[in-house]
Amino acid sequence: MTITQWRRLLAEFTGTALLVTAVVGSGIMAATLSPDDVGLQLLENSIATAFALAVLILIFGPVSGAHFNPVVSAADWFLGRRAGTGLIPRDLGGYVGAQVLGAIAGSVLANLMFDLAAVDFSGRDRAAGPLWLGEVVATAGLILLIFALARSGRAAVAPAAVGAYIGAAYWFTSSTSFANPAVTIGRAFTDTFAGIAPTSVPGFVLAQLVGLAVGVGLLAALYPDAGTAADQVVVPTDEDAAAGRRP
């Protein structure tokens, strides 16, 4: 594995870990500061998550593209494979592994920061049809946003746009917009405001994969050549800027 590949995997691991730390940590803080107001808890959690996501994309985007999400990486590979852009299969596997491990590490870190058990599997059941539909909507919208920005030459605004979308989707989806299989798995490791019961994880992940398919289908209809911009997702890396493509 080259130094560049290691740097990318480290960026995906660290960025995903810090994203989940922000989600879980802000949820714990919100529940502590506003124990009797669930709406205020969600507001505090969503604002912190949206801001943190935008900042993390700015930090790690030049290194790995700042995917932090297996469905984004999968779409990047699938859409870019014919055009010779985006991730190759080997890199896709590495990205997904780094993201899942990072998400678990992020939950553990948040638990420890708030003096909780390092691993405490969530008891918060989130298994219901309306929640799965919410995940389909949230994930499809995220994929459509990211690739539409790349294809239209506006990848530079991705940090703000993706952060804003996720912050808004906390409120307009029934599931509060996990929209990320790695984050979903990671959040099973904390029995706090942001947690999800391990038994609810498969349903959410399946819904996210359906959302991936829906998002890719919409892209095929609206932006038929979206794959040509796969090397700009989420933001171009330094290596892309120098070489004009993802190695």
Side-chain angles (χ1 to χ4, degrees):
M1 185 178 294
T2 67
I3 293 175
T4 296
Q5 289 169 328
W6 276 110
R7 288 176 63 240
R8 287 180 170 176
L9 294 184
L10 178 60
E12 286 297 303
F13 173 88
T14 307
T16 310
L18 292 176
L19 173 60
V20 174
T21 298
V23 173
V24 174
S26 63
I28 297 171
M29 183 65 78
T32 301
L33 297 178
S34 310
D36 301 319
D37 191 334
V38 177
L40 186 55
Q41 291 172 13
L42 185 61
L43 178 63
E44 293 160 348
N45 190 210
S46 64
I47 291 174
T49 300
F51 285 172
L53 179 55
V55 170
L56 292 171
I57 292 173
L58 288 171
I59 294 171
F60 297 104
V63 180
S64 68
H67 292 190
F68 309 151
N69 188 334
V71 296
V72 173
S73 298
D76 189 60
W77 162 74
F78 182 80
L79 291 170
R81 71 196 192 286
R82 291 183 179 176
T85 58
L87 296 177
I88 61 176
R90 178 192 61 197
D91 290 338
L92 172 61
Y95 266 47
V96 172
Q99 291 156 359
V100 172
L101 292 175
I104 295 171
S107 268
V108 171
L109 177 58
N111 287 338
L112 292 175
M113 282 200 301
F114 286 90
D115 198 27
L116 303 174
V119 174
D120 187 10
F121 290 108
S122 177
R124 189 181 290 263
D125 181 52
R126 299 180 188 263
L131 301 182
W132 298 331
L133 179 59
E135 280 301 284
V136 172
V137 172
T139 307
L142 179 63
I143 295 299
L144 186 59
L145 169 64
I146 289 172
F147 282 86
L149 289 175
R151 177 61 188 85
S152 59
R154 295 175 292 166
V157 303
V162 173
Y165 174 80
I166 291 298
Y170 260 76
W171 291 90
F172 72 73
T173 64
S174 56
S175 62
T176 65
S177 183
F178 284 47
N180 185 328
V183 168
T184 303
I185 293 170
R187 288 168 65 168
F189 286 74
T190 180
D191 193 20
T192 59
F193 179 81
I196 178 172
T199 55
S200 298
V201 168
F204 262 55
V205 171
L206 180 58
Q208 289 154 2
L209 294 177
V210 172
L212 166 63
V214 172
V216 168
L218 288 171
L219 283 167
L222 298 171
Y223 297 90
D225 56 349
T228 60
D231 56 356
Q232 305 294 309
V233 174
V234 173
V235 294
T237 68
D238 285 342
E239 289 81 3
D240 296 335
R245 58 183 292 275
R246 191 179 296 275

